[in-house]
Amino acid sequence: MSRGQYPSTRMRRNRMTAFSRRLVAETRLDTADLIWPLFVIEGQNIAEPVDAMPGVFRHSIDQLLQQAAKAVELKIPAIAIFPSIDAALKDETGSLARDGDNLVCRAVSAVKAAFPDLGIICDVALDPFTSHGHDGLLDQDEILNDETIAVLCEQAVHQANAGCDIIAPSDMMDGRVGEIRTALDAAGHQNVQIMAYAAKYASGFYGPFRDAVRAGASLGKAGKSTYQMDPANSDEAMHEIALDLAEGADMVIVKPGMPYLDILARAKAEFGVPCIAYQVSGEYSMLCASFDKGWLDRERTILEAMTCFKRAGADAVLTYFAPEIAMIIRR
Ligand code: PBG
């Protein structure tokens, strides 16, 4: 392509007026691209602040319904529900994950009954339920792969029975997407989607989330690095995504978000499938801390981050800022 030279070409011309900047914008924000993660706890009429995430709460199911109503009102297409389980109910094997009447399943049925058109996403992983905080079954210091998958399949079917629309395996065991697909189909849930955390990295940016769901305080020295990916790797993420797609994933997640936009851009370019970014808890909290200090402009920075996710190739973004972004777009 031949391009002009200065002074006939002046890049700044298109930027001179607000109308022109709008005309040439390549990326636009849309409420339809938002997924709002929410935390649920047992009890009645509870909204308990998460210390490490200003403005984020653990809601009891009755209060969660009000948040869901807000999502519907703001036209946010989907929410992701994460349970915060009482320590007394956790055990080594995360047995509560296999109980179809557990907190997350009850939350899903309540939201589905009240708002049938709101999309509901559930993580499949054992970490909210295990006393050690790992995503899988632990033997000495090894996380067992195949044994864990069997439990994840049961967990997924319970969540689908409760009315979950999209199952999101976030555990990073090998082969779990295919087996979960088979289990869902066998239970008559052929139309339940799978949004695989395909490229999920062992990240320091999950710290505040582990506070929110009260999990992982006791993870060993290796943390989750024997199953989540090494932040040093990019080709490996493409390999992971290819495997999850071959096993039947309908959409893939890249996580964390902003430090991993290169992975997101590669995923979108190389596979051309629905790619979802997760702006994780640590990204949320570090932005909030700066807003609080007056170091960053809140609205401008939140919208810029969202725009960059879209520009890099995200079809949708999981973000704790979802309602705020939706309200700004509406104005
Ligand atoms: C659990 C899970 C985690 C997140 C989503 N699902 C934490 C982890 O893997 O340790 C992180 C979300 C966030 O930080 O916002 N498997």
Side-chain angles (χ1 to χ4, degrees):
M1 201 190 316
S2 86
R3 295 179 193 257
Q5 297 281 311
Y6 171 85
S8 58
T9 294
R10 289 179 183 272
M11 296 302 286
R12 293 185 54 202
R13 261 185 227 121
N14 285 345
R15 299 179 198 140
M16 281 296 164
T17 57
F19 87 80
S20 172
R21 289 192 294 273
R22 284 177 68 210
L23 279 178
V24 302
E26 297 172 41
T27 307
R28 271 174 236 286
L29 297 186
D30 190 335
T31 302
D33 301 328
L34 296 169
I35 300 169
W36 186 15
L38 289 162
F39 300 105
V40 63
I41 49 168
E42 292 289 0
Q44 265 296 116
N45 203 23
I46 296 172
E48 188 178 89
V50 176
D51 286 343
M53 300 180 74
V56 171
F57 297 83
R58 304 178 191 94
H59 294 281
S60 50
I61 292 177
D62 56 303
Q63 296 274 318
L64 182 74
L65 287 171
Q66 295 177 22
Q67 304 301 303
K70 187 167 163 185
V72 171
E73 201 263 316
L74 287 167
K75 299 197 160 55
I76 293 173
I79 60 172
I81 302 176
F82 295 96
S84 176
I85 303 293
D86 204 317
L89 297 176
K90 299 186 187 192
D91 59 26
E92 276 279 305
T93 60
S95 31
L96 195 59
R98 302 160 63 190
D99 179 343
D101 197 36
N102 67 19
L103 175 61
V104 72
C105 291
R106 277 180 281 119
V108 169
S109 359
V111 173
K112 202 70 217 172
F115 308 102
D117 297 332
L118 178 64
I120 303 179
I121 302 168
C122 286
D123 254 36
V124 168
L126 301 185
D127 58 315
F129 306 101
T130 51
S131 42
H132 43 74
H134 277 292
D135 292 20
L137 301 174
L138 187 63
D139 179 24
Q140 317 284 5
D141 52 9
E142 184 182 346
I143 303 298
L144 301 172
N145 193 85
D146 303 6
E147 293 81 351
T148 296
I149 291 179
V151 183
L152 299 176
C153 287
E154 267 191 73
Q155 182 184 24
V157 169
H158 283 312
Q159 291 171 347
N161 289 343
C164 177
D165 300 286
I166 304 183
I167 295 293
S170 74
D171 54 287
M172 292 298 280
M173 297 301 117
D174 288 317
R176 88 281 201 220
V177 170
E179 298 215 16
I180 290 171
R181 182 72 271 162
T182 303
L184 287 171
D185 289 357
H189 294 300
Q190 288 84 355
N191 294 328
V192 167
Q193 293 153 273
I194 296 182
M195 180 190 283
Y197 286 82
K200 177 170 178 179
Y201 288 85
S203 173
F205 289 100
Y206 306 150
F209 175 96
R210 292 180 191 164
D211 170 24
V213 300
R214 298 180 291 200
S218 58
L219 291 173
K221 193 159 167 279
K224 298 190 175 183
S225 54
T226 68
Y227 44 107
Q228 298 180 347
M229 284 185 51
D230 182 344
N233 299 347
S234 171
D235 288 340
E236 187 187 345
M238 300 306 112
H239 194 169
E240 283 280 7
I241 291 169
L243 290 169
D244 284 4
L245 290 172
E247 290 174 33
D250 302 287
M251 323 177 192
V252 294
I253 300 181
V254 173
K255 176 183 177 198
M258 221 149 73
Y260 294 80
L261 292 183
D262 58 324
I263 308 297
L264 178 64
R266 271 192 79 176
K268 190 64 191 173
E270 293 182 27
F271 296 97
V273 299
C275 291
I276 318 297
Y278 198 144
Q279 183 180 44
V280 299
S281 57
E283 300 175 65
Y284 172 85
S285 297
M286 69 186 185
L287 288 173
C288 287
S290 287
F291 302 150
D292 196 45
K293 293 255 185 204
W295 290 342
L296 290 175
D297 179 87
R298 183 174 183 106
E299 186 170 311
R300 181 176 174 180
T301 315
I302 290 172
L303 294 185
E304 180 178 335
M306 185 68 190
T307 303
C308 295
F309 282 119
K310 298 241 44 200
R311 188 203 61 226
D315 295 289
V317 181
L318 282 137
T319 172
Y320 302 95
F321 292 119
E324 194 168 343
I325 295 171
M327 276 185 287
I328 299 169
I329 292 175
R330 184 156 76 178
R331 278 207 314 264

